[in-house]
Amino acid sequence: MRDEVQRGLYYDELETDVRYVHRPGRTMTEADDVLFTSVTMNPQGLHLDAAWAATQPFGRPLVNSMLTLATLVGLSVAHLTRGTLVANLGFTEVAFPHPMFHGDTLYGETTVVDRRLSRSRPGTGIVTVEHVGRNQDGEVVAKAGRTMLMWTREGHEEHEHRNASEHGGGVL
């Protein structure tokens, strides 16, 4: 019997111009929004004060856009980067073209727009993606460019072998 460990995709497996669709989605609740907003020290009434938010242009509380972004990235992890990401290098062109409201469901998709082997870190590649979040009605609620340092399969295997040798034989 062999073990099959759930993981993301290696640099070698990621293809440009493929849309990776992440499921299941995540329904954003009022509790999620209030907790996230509170733990991130954001006193914005649009997320915490339903009575005041009702007097604002959208007429009700909005889901914190940083929660939307964090959840959008999180939706992609099991599919693309779990165990295969070395580092998150940055985000570009983050936009929230339509608001998320309590009770909306966020669905994610990711397209690889560029990839190249790293010139300074053998065994890794730099991958640029576009994350797109849509609500249950298909409206785009978030977009973000993201650049990541990813393991190649061979680079990760070499790293694991070195790590095991340095730590007495077992993979940590």
Side-chain angles (χ1 to χ4, degrees):
M1 177 183 294
R2 81 182 163 94
D3 291 338
E4 186 69 30
V5 178
Q6 182 179 356
R7 63 164 173 86
L9 300 175
Y10 286 108
Y11 169 86
D12 325 63
E13 298 169 308
L14 291 167
E15 299 177 44
T16 56
D17 298 322
V18 171
R19 183 172 50 202
Y20 298 91
V21 179
H22 315 303
R23 296 297 184 268
R26 176 67 160 79
T27 301
M28 309 301 277
T29 68
E30 180 180 7
D32 296 328
D33 192 34
V34 169
L35 178 61
F36 183 88
T37 298
S38 298
V39 300
T40 58
M41 302 294 292
N42 180 346
Q44 177 53 258
L46 285 171
H47 313 304
L48 298 173
D49 185 337
W52 180 79
T55 69
Q56 298 307 299
F58 291 104
R60 57 187 163 151
L62 303 176
V63 172
N64 186 316
S65 58
M66 294 296 99
L67 174 57
T68 302
L69 178 62
T71 304
L72 175 58
V73 170
L75 288 171
S76 74
V77 170
H79 195 175
L80 299 180
T81 63
R82 182 176 178 184
T84 57
L85 177 78
V86 178
N88 189 39
L89 300 177
F91 289 90
T92 60
E93 301 175 30
V94 176
F96 304 99
H98 189 276
M100 286 281 293
F101 299 105
H102 300 156
D104 283 353
T105 300
L106 179 64
Y107 294 99
E109 55 196 57
T110 301
T111 303
V112 177
V113 295
D114 191 36
R115 62 181 215 125
R116 69 172 175 81
L117 290 171
S118 173
R119 292 185 278 276
S120 61
R121 292 184 176 264
T124 65
I126 297 172
V127 179
T128 302
V129 301
E130 181 184 55
H131 292 299
V132 175
R134 298 178 188 276
N135 68 12
Q136 67 281 353
D137 299 321
E139 297 166 308
V140 174
V141 296
K143 292 177 90 171
R146 181 180 177 202
T147 303
M148 306 171 291
L149 186 63
M150 303 285 298
W151 285 113
T152 63
R153 181 184 298 273
E154 183 180 330
H156 194 230
E157 288 171 356
E158 288 175 13
H159 171 77
E160 291 295 313
H161 179 73
R162 269 193 320 274
N163 197 32
S165 296
E166 293 171 6
H167 294 94
V171 175
L172 300 176

